[in-house]
Amino acid sequence: LPGLQQFAVRSDAEVEVVLDSGQKIEVDQAIQYRVRKPDRLRVDLKGADFERQVFFNDGQLTVWAPNRDYYATVATRARTLSELVTNASTQYDLELPLTDLFLWGTDAAPLSDIKAAFKVGEGLVDGDRVDHWALREEGVDWQVWISQATSLPRKLVITGLHDPSQPEFTAELHWDTRSPIADDVFAFQPPAGAGRITLVPGAGTALIDEEEN
């Protein structure tokens, strides 16, 4: 995965939201990443009442809400995708789904964080033969199904342990590592009449689990 210089990956994801009553609600989300390393990224997130697009292009980070008709653009010191993921989280509380795709194999995700791991067995994901692994870190259990043919992750299940209800995030990944990605995919041009707002540091901006009001 760290060796891929460009790729597109689509995921049909399910996020468990825990209500104040303790009841779990499953929210479906469509997630698409288009990536060209080291510094080009576009993320499209869509749910029933939620839509966001995120662009990272030559040091500029933009969040666009098409169904709200507003956007925010900030300059960032990040020069790689792993730096972007880390800086967006620490500086703006901007949490992107599937960020493990950019942190595995870097200093931001050291092997020492893994407290336990074992191979569950083999299986099939969308016809692809996979190895199924279960891992445990502080506060989180996760499972990954890795393609035997490509060594790419085909499915992820992440279980949060800090909440007694242990909500889960599940994503099945569909990869395209061959098709070229045009430059304009990563360039954001605000539509006429779109409003620009300020992305405030530490504002707790959520890109998943959010319900439009």
Side-chain angles (χ1 to χ4, degrees), residues 34 41-46 50-56 60-74 94 96 185-197 199 205-207 210 212:
R34 281 170 281 187
L41 169 72
R42 175 170 171 173
V43 189
D44 292 81
L45 309 170
K46 192 168 186 179
F50 178 84
E51 187 173 3
R52 293 290 185 274
Q53 294 177 349
V54 179
F55 299 82
F56 178 54
Q60 295 285 324
L61 172 65
T62 298
V63 180
W64 162 236
N67 55 344
R68 293 291 193 87
D69 206 26
Y70 66 72
Y71 70 97
T73 298
V74 294
L94 190 68
L96 292 167
V185 167
F186 305 105
F188 174 73
Q189 295 294 333
R196 181 168 180 172
I197 63 172
L199 194 61
T205 307
L207 291 181
E210 180 177 336
E212 298 284 9

Side-chain angles (χ1 to χ4, degrees), residues 104 116-125 128-136 141-149 151-159 168-171:
W104 286 336
F118 64 94
K119 184 177 179 180
V120 179
E122 299 183 1
L124 291 173
V125 175
D128 192 4
R129 185 162 294 279
V130 294
D131 294 322
H132 178 192
W133 292 84
L135 303 97
R136 170 161 286 184
D141 285 347
W142 53 287
Q143 302 173 68
V144 59
W145 288 254
I146 300 176
S147 169
Q148 294 179 0
S151 297
L152 293 173
R154 292 301 316 274
K155 183 178 178 180
L156 287 169
V157 175
I158 302 172
T159 305
E168 290 188 345
F169 171 84
T170 302

